Amino acid sequence: MRNLLLLFALAAFTAVEANRFRQEFPGPYCAARKYDSCCRDRQDGCAQPISTTLCYCDEFCERGEHGDCCPDYEEVCLGIVAGPDNATSCVHKNHYFTPYDPVIVDNCNTCKCNLDGSVICTDDVCMVDEDLLRQLGHLHRSLGWSATNYTEWWGRKYDEGKVLRLGTFQPKHRVKAMKRLSNKGGSLPSRFDASEHWTGLIAEARDQGWCGSSWAFSTATMASDRFAILSKGREMVQLAPQQMLACVRRQRGCSGGHLDSAWQYVRKNGMVNEECYPYIAAQNVCKVHEDDTLITANCELPVKVNRTHLYKMGPAYSLNNETDIMTEIKDRGTVQALMRVYRDFFSYRGGIYRHSAAATPAEERSAYHSVRLIGWGEERVGYEVVKYWIAINSWGQWWGENGRFRILRGVNECEIESYVLAANPYVHEHVQTVRNVGELQELIVGTGYVPHPSRRYPPYGRG
């Protein structure tokens, strides 16, 4: 029995060595001499150069312990095809490979073949999870939204997506706990979409790429929307998130940032437009300084207004509840919302999103993201009327509903109503009081409260 086991082990080792030889020197060798009457007897002319010597394609090459046959001699001359039955081979999802093959890629994981025929794969959670997609498919009706497999996510780890496709940090307690301002209640429609109300003035979804810059994108795009709305289209500007990535201090660039720091920067320093500071989805050296103007920053001046100063916003303020958020959107434009993101959100294709229990195993690995809320609506599902927010994401128009998504309203789904910010721009030659609150205090995010000025905010730019 011992001798038999030794014989099997020797045969397996020989097969492995032969297989490795074929992998290192794939040829063709004998296949190139197939029509030269080689293979039979001794024919010294049936030789092929290999490495620094010659190999042969005749029966004589099998002499001795090792011989000097070409790597493809058995396959071409004897019809023996190497496979899992006569050489150490592994199989993973119908893919055969050997210990000497490169590792195979399975979505975001890699698999290696061992000498004993076993397969070892890494076990990372992927952004595209086929099991999760199947579960979401089964839950489609009860969830009210559909999921899909986005090729953009394929091959990416969930931990990558969590850092590089989101990028907004949860606010510190002292910031989140500050007093919030309330809007006066009024008549609100059952449906409102800022992009329809202010046609052509609301920026569509852009793509932040593989950079955790949602904190910069949501701030820059919301500010752009408000400039366009308050100026009645005279200041249609696409402000540059790249400037914020490069210039806002105490942030982590493509690894994330805080919204309060972003708004403090826009209020104090101001921003340039996208053409002046193009987005590259990476942090670079800041080229806009605190005392710069559009001229000294080498930016093209706007055509419709006589502006030379950078684009600045007034103090950011936090909104109190669902009604306040709706009133703010209807009266002044889009707002910025922080939300908690779970794995299933990446696969959202359409419908009214709510977090699924199918993604619960990775719940502790959720992270935060910031988006723009641009409106709201209602939809009847069976006997139930489902309320929702309309939001614009920063993953491009290929994702979701042309870059947008709808999410449950009024129940703080994914904490989307817990931290909602707004701010008003210093529009050139058209400046109005940010908020008429009388003796109340106005919130400056991250710095506390200051008395609201009774006069109008001073204009920026040439008179």
Side-chain angles (χ1 to χ4, degrees):
M1 177 63 71
R2 182 179 298 175
N3 291 336
L4 185 60
L5 291 174
L6 184 61
L7 183 62
F8 279 136
L10 182 61
F13 177 78
T14 303
V16 168
E17 289 300 308
N19 202 43
R20 183 173 66 175
F21 191 41
R22 284 192 291 271
Q23 293 294 326
E24 292 177 353
F25 302 99
Y29 301 100
C30 298
R33 307 292 300 269
K34 187 174 182 179
Y35 302 104
D36 291 349
S37 300
C38 290
C39 294
R40 294 190 174 280
D41 302 323
R42 176 172 179 171
Q43 301 185 54
D44 293 341
C46 290
Q48 288 284 83
I50 181 171
S51 186
T52 58
T53 184
L54 295 174
C55 66
Y56 292 86
C57 299
D58 59 2
E59 288 180 331
F60 191 68
C61 74
E62 294 189 283
R63 72 194 185 286
E65 183 179 353
H66 299 294
D68 51 8
C69 298
C70 292
D72 60 351
Y73 167 75
E74 289 187 348
E75 182 177 349
V76 174
C77 295
L78 304 181
I80 301 174
V81 180
D85 294 331
N86 58 7
T88 300
S89 180
C90 301
V91 60
H92 178 74
K93 295 185 177 179
N94 296 322
H95 182 92
Y96 287 92
F97 63 119
T98 73
Y100 305 103
D101 287 327
V103 296
I104 63 172
V105 178
D106 181 9
N107 198 347
C108 72
N109 290 295
T110 56
C111 298
K112 178 183 177 181
C113 177
N114 293 323
L115 289 173
D116 62 359
S118 62
V119 177
I120 294 181
C121 298
T122 56
D123 191 27
D124 291 304
V125 177
C126 302
M127 291 185 71
V128 175
D129 186 327
E130 293 175 348
D131 291 334
L132 177 61
L133 286 172
R134 276 193 293 271
Q135 293 180 60
L136 293 175
H138 295 149
L139 295 171
H140 167 64
R141 288 192 175 183
S142 60
L143 285 176
W145 61 276
S146 59
T148 191
N149 178 352
Y150 289 109
T151 56
E152 180 73 18
W153 305 150
W154 185 261
R156 294 281 190 166
K157 299 175 184 177
Y158 173 63
D159 285 342
E160 285 183 274
K162 187 179 65 173
V163 174
L164 299 179
R165 276 294 181 172
L166 304 180
T168 302
F169 298 141
Q170 193 175 16
K172 297 175 182 177
H173 178 72
R174 65 180 178 82
V175 174
K176 198 171 182 179
M178 286 179 177
K179 182 179 177 181
R180 304 180 180 195
L181 295 178
S182 296
N183 283 307
K184 292 181 179 180
S187 177
L188 293 168
S190 60
R191 185 184 183 279
F192 181 85
D193 185 334
S195 64
E196 296 174 0
H197 185 73
W198 292 291
T199 305
L201 302 187
I202 306 301
E204 289 298 333
R206 297 183 60 193
D207 194 343
Q208 68 186 65
W210 292 96
C211 171
S213 56
S214 67
W215 63 274
F217 261 85
S218 59
T219 302
T221 51
M222 195 208 87
S224 300
D225 291 344
R226 294 233 166 177
F227 264 102
I229 292 168
L230 191 58
S231 70
K232 298 182 179 179
R234 290 188 301 122
E235 295 211 75
M236 292 284 293
V237 58
Q238 189 176 80
L239 298 177
Q242 185 62 42
Q243 179 188 350
M244 306 188 79
L245 276 179
C247 302
V248 182
R249 297 178 181 177
R250 295 184 294 277
Q251 303 282 62
R252 297 184 187 175
C254 281
S255 296
H258 289 281
L259 298 182
D260 55 325
S261 297
W263 284 113
Q264 287 178 34
Y265 176 85
V266 180
R267 180 173 182 255
K268 181 179 179 182
N269 296 74
M271 296 183 69
V272 300
N273 60 23
E274 177 72 17
E275 291 76 15
C276 187
Y277 215 142
Y279 185 65
I280 61 171
Q283 192 170 7
N284 57 2
V285 177
C286 180
K287 66 178 185 179
V288 177
H289 306 291
E290 186 175 344
D291 56 350
D292 266 336
T293 65
L294 293 177
I295 296 173
T296 59
N298 295 317
C299 300
E300 186 175 341
L301 297 179
V303 175
K304 293 185 179 180
V305 295
N306 196 19
R307 171 187 287 276
T308 58
H309 285 72
L310 304 191
Y311 297 89
K312 292 188 177 183
M313 299 288 287
Y317 47 92
S318 182
L319 299 164
N320 193 41
N321 54 41
E322 176 189 358
T323 303
D324 289 341
I325 297 169
M326 294 166 70
T327 303
E328 182 72 26
I329 295 172
K330 177 177 174 291
D331 292 347
R332 300 176 184 87
T334 61
V335 297
Q336 180 185 50
L338 182 77
M339 67 176 291
R340 189 172 184 176
V341 170
Y342 299 90
R343 269 200 309 159
D344 57 1
F345 184 70
F346 287 100
S347 301
Y348 170 88
R349 180 174 63 183
I352 302 173
Y353 175 79
R354 68 181 76 192
H355 168 49
S356 164
T360 300
E363 183 171 309
E364 69 279 3
R365 302 168 70 178
S366 60
Y368 286 87
H369 188 42
S370 53
V371 298
R372 281 179 293 157
L373 297 184
I374 68 165
W376 65 87
E378 297 177 357
E379 186 173 294
R380 181 170 291 279
V381 180
Y383 296 103
E384 181 185 7
V385 175
V386 180
K387 301 189 303 180
Y388 60 83
W389 295 110
I390 305 171
I392 297 183
N393 203 351
S394 52
W395 294 345
Q397 296 184 36
W398 53 266
W399 180 88
E401 298 177 331
N402 295 317
R404 302 181 178 193
F405 66 98
R406 290 174 290 158
I407 186 170
L408 283 179
R409 170 168 59 95
V411 294
N412 199 25
E413 178 67 31
C414 296
E415 303 175 30
I416 199 165
E417 295 158 16
S418 63
Y419 191 57
V420 180
L421 300 177
N424 288 293
Y426 295 130
V427 175
H428 184 78
E429 295 183 340
H430 181 74
V431 181
Q432 61 184 24
T433 305
V434 171
R435 184 178 289 272
N436 184 16
V437 293
E439 298 300 322
L440 294 180
Q441 305 286 302
E442 182 173 41
L443 169 65
I444 299 178
V445 179
T447 61
Y449 299 98
V450 297
H452 189 285
S454 58
R455 59 182 174 81
R456 294 177 182 271
Y457 282 105
Y460 286 84
R462 294 177 293 183

